[in-house]
Amino acid sequence: MRLRLKILLLAILPLVASLLLIAVAVRQQERQLLAQEHAAMERTYMDARRDELRHYVELAVSTLQPLYAHGSVPAQNPPDRVEADKREALRLLSALDYGEDGYFFVYDLQGKVLMHSRQPDLVGRNLWELRDPLGRPTIQQLIGQARAGGGYVEYLWRKPSSRDTAPKLGYVVAMEHWNWMVGTGLYLDGMRATLQQLDHEAQANIAQTMWWIAAIAVFGVALISASALALNLSEHRVAETKLRALAHQVVRSQEDERAHLSRELHDGVSQTLVSTKLLIESAQQNGDTLLLPRALERLNDSLVEVRRLSHRLRPALLDTLGLPAALAHLAREFDEAGPPRVGVQVVGMPRELPELLNTVLFRVAQEALTNVVKHAAARRVEITLEFEPAPDRSDSWAVLLRILDDGVGFDPVAAERGDPHQGIGLRNMRERMASVGGQLDLQSSPGHGTQLEALVRDAAIRRLARDNPLG
């Protein structure tokens, strides 16, 4: 998986995970809130309905109270008068209603129906053994609650408006002197339908919230993806620009090297060979054998120059004896050419390095020495090659190339960011080190010399050896 895709996933996955957790938390909280509101609303509704039923029954009883008071003194009220009062009381109760499904009912305490304004067919029947669809003795529960001082009873009863059996909350009281149970009730299916509607609306709100969270997640992912795409395109353009600049630098370096090699061949080897040719032709024409030793000397000079150029292109010691010997030979060449004096030191036990790494470190040393000769005006240069444990890990090791001179120094930042034709050597060294997974550290300031360190750790060395098995 590419690094950019990993970074994109690293940005998107936490966002999606966070939104999912938020969605779960919101859904859970809304469900808890819905349950609490449902319970509070049902409790409030039932309390209001209980008060309403109690007030209805109290109103009905107060309406019957003048008639009932006569029956409380049997000695002063003959049976005919009591029965007349009862008939009048039943007439008054049958006239009291509060809606299509709001009515009063009267039973005697043995379960016989005395008055039922919505179901007159039940009048005169004894319903003591009547049970609802759940098997509960409905009339026995009502009469039992009335005998206990009155109160509320929930039961199932046929609803007059719909003719369907529905849950009902009743309130009953006993009128002991008349052997009556008087009560009324309210059907609860409307309340439950209202609660179900509220539940449906709450579920719709929850679903809408989930859709909003999903939309936010999609928008966030799209925004991150668009930003990543824009950044990728921008980085791609920058990378292409850098790649073109690097290609131009490579081409320019190749042309510079070819021009340098052309000058070396023209000014050195070519002229020496021409001089040798002239000496041999002169000896052949004049028969002067004394010119042949001079021609042989010129040929030897040409061979030395060819070997020097060949060694500069790629030293044979680098392939045969390794990096320490190649660095020592490079130091002798610069030392023999004149100031500065160049010394080489190897620290630690030398280890076999991959061919690519040997080449890179040698080219870094070669470029550094060339820069010292051209710009530093140094008297002394020290090259140190260290095979030591890694600075931050005692269980690993690294190879470190350090080049220290006592020259005039310079400003590295200005050199690399200034004139594009300057600092090419520094950039080349950094790019060479980056290509093998190494680091290049340059410390310099005007008047205080320069120290260059090229560090390659054990992990990068093992990777180079694995990727270049023939090296």
Side-chain angles (χ1 to χ4, degrees):
M1 185 179 295
R2 298 178 61 183
L3 178 60
R4 291 179 180 176
L5 181 57
K6 291 181 179 178
I7 295 175
L8 181 61
L9 292 177
L10 188 62
I12 291 178
L13 291 180
L15 173 64
V16 174
S18 300
L19 290 176
L20 286 177
L21 292 177
I22 292 174
V24 172
V26 168
R27 187 175 183 85
Q28 185 67 21
Q29 290 296 325
E30 288 191 349
R31 284 183 173 179
Q32 292 179 359
L33 181 60
L34 176 61
Q36 294 172 0
E37 290 181 349
H38 190 286
M41 183 174 295
E42 184 175 7
R43 183 170 56 252
T44 302
Y45 181 89
M46 292 300 294
D47 290 342
R49 291 296 177 265
R50 286 189 176 95
D51 292 340
E52 183 180 0
L53 289 176
R54 181 169 53 82
H55 291 156
Y56 285 153
V57 173
E58 289 175 354
L59 177 62
V61 172
S62 65
T63 302
L64 303 180
Q65 188 62 35
L67 298 173
Y68 185 68
H70 294 163
S72 62
V73 185
Q76 300 178 1
N77 293 279
D80 294 342
R81 177 66 182 273
V82 173
E83 291 300 324
D85 290 340
K86 287 183 179 181
R87 288 193 296 272
E88 179 64 16
L90 292 176
R91 186 188 67 79
L92 292 175
L93 285 177
S94 64
L96 293 176
D97 58 26
Y98 44 94
E100 186 178 9
D101 295 322
Y103 56 89
F104 289 89
F105 52 83
V106 180
Y107 290 74
D108 65 18
L109 296 181
Q110 287 72 42
K112 181 181 178 180
V113 181
L114 301 179
M115 189 274 294
H116 202 296
S117 59
R118 295 295 187 273
Q119 293 178 282
D121 56 303
L122 297 179
V123 176
R125 295 175 56 183
N126 191 310
L127 302 181
W128 180 261
E129 298 296 335
L130 178 67
R131 294 179 179 272
D132 64 11
L134 299 179
R136 297 175 297 184
T138 304
I139 306 304
Q140 294 179 30
Q141 287 180 331
L142 292 171
I143 294 175
Q145 188 65 42
R147 287 183 180 277
Y152 303 95
V153 178
E154 287 191 29
Y155 58 98
L156 297 175
W157 198 262
R158 189 175 65 183
K159 189 174 182 179
S161 60
S162 63
R163 315 299 293 179
D164 295 328
T165 300
K168 185 176 183 180
L169 175 64
Y171 184 81
V172 293
V173 295
M175 303 181 73
E176 298 285 351
H177 297 297
W178 284 357
N179 194 36
W180 281 10
M181 174 192 71
V182 179
T184 187
L186 292 172
Y187 291 93
L188 303 178
D189 54 341
M191 179 202 71
R192 295 184 178 179
T194 302
L195 291 178
Q196 290 177 355
Q197 178 64 25
L198 292 176
D199 291 345
H200 178 72
E201 293 178 357
Q203 292 294 339
N205 290 333
I206 293 175
Q208 185 177 10
T209 303
M210 294 299 104
W211 279 112
W212 272 108
I213 293 176
I216 292 173
V218 172
F219 176 77
V221 171
L223 182 61
I224 292 175
S225 301
S227 301
L229 178 60
L231 181 61
N232 191 15
L233 293 176
S234 176
E235 291 293 330
H236 185 66
R237 287 194 294 268
V238 172
E240 284 186 348
T241 302
K242 291 182 178 180
L243 185 60
R244 286 194 296 268
L246 179 61
H248 293 329
Q249 291 180 11
V250 170
V251 172
R252 186 165 56 250
S253 299
Q254 290 177 346
E255 293 300 325
D256 291 343
E257 189 65 26
R258 288 171 180 172
H260 174 73
L261 183 59
S262 176
R263 288 194 300 271
E264 293 286 344
L265 290 174
H266 180 271
D267 297 340
V269 178
S270 178
Q271 293 182 5
T272 304
L273 290 177
V274 170
S275 175
T276 303
K277 177 177 178 295
L278 293 176
L279 288 174
I280 294 175
E281 289 177 350
S282 177
Q284 183 180 12
Q285 292 175 0
N286 300 327
D288 187 359
T289 59
L290 297 177
L291 297 176
L292 293 178
R294 292 177 60 189
L296 181 60
E297 182 181 355
R298 296 291 176 84
L299 284 175
N300 288 332
D301 292 341
S302 298
L303 291 175
V304 170
E305 184 67 16
V306 169
R307 283 197 298 269
R308 185 183 69 81
L309 292 175
S310 174
H311 179 75
R312 182 174 178 85
L313 293 176
R314 178 165 182 87
L317 290 176
L318 193 60
D319 297 325
T320 56
L321 299 181
L323 181 61
L327 291 177
H329 183 77
L330 179 66
R332 283 197 300 273
E333 285 186 344
F334 276 87
D335 192 46
E336 291 173 356
R341 302 294 304 275
V342 182
V344 177
Q345 181 182 7
V346 179
V347 178
M349 179 64 67
R351 302 187 182 215
E352 184 178 357
L353 301 176
E355 179 183 357
L356 179 59
L357 180 57
N358 282 332
T359 302
V360 168
L361 292 177
F362 180 82
R363 292 305 183 194
V364 168
Q366 191 177 52
E367 184 69 31
L369 288 178
T370 302
N371 290 339
V372 170
V373 172
K374 289 183 177 180
H375 309 293
R379 296 187 303 273
R380 180 72 182 174
V381 180
E382 291 292 338
I383 301 176
T384 305
L385 183 64
E386 297 185 10
F387 297 87
E388 295 290 345
D392 55 349
R393 291 183 56 189
S394 59
D395 61 338
S396 183
W397 65 281
V399 57
L400 174 65
L401 175 65
R402 181 186 297 109
I403 302 174
L404 177 64
D405 69 73
D406 59 357
V408 297
F410 65 101
D411 184 356
V413 176
E416 292 189 72
R417 294 184 179 177
D419 189 345
H421 296 290
Q422 297 179 359
I424 295 178
L426 292 177
R427 288 195 294 271
N428 288 341
M429 286 189 285
R430 293 189 188 280
E431 291 166 1
R432 286 181 185 274
M433 292 302 299
S435 67
V436 294
Q439 302 172 1
L440 185 73
D441 180 50
L442 181 64
Q443 299 178 7
S444 182
S445 61
H448 295 85
T450 302
Q451 176 176 289
L452 182 143
E453 291 186 347
L455 175 67
V456 184
R457 302 179 187 274
D458 182 37
I461 296 174
R462 289 198 301 269
R463 185 170 61 253
L464 287 173
R466 183 181 64 250
D467 296 341
N468 301 274
L470 299 178

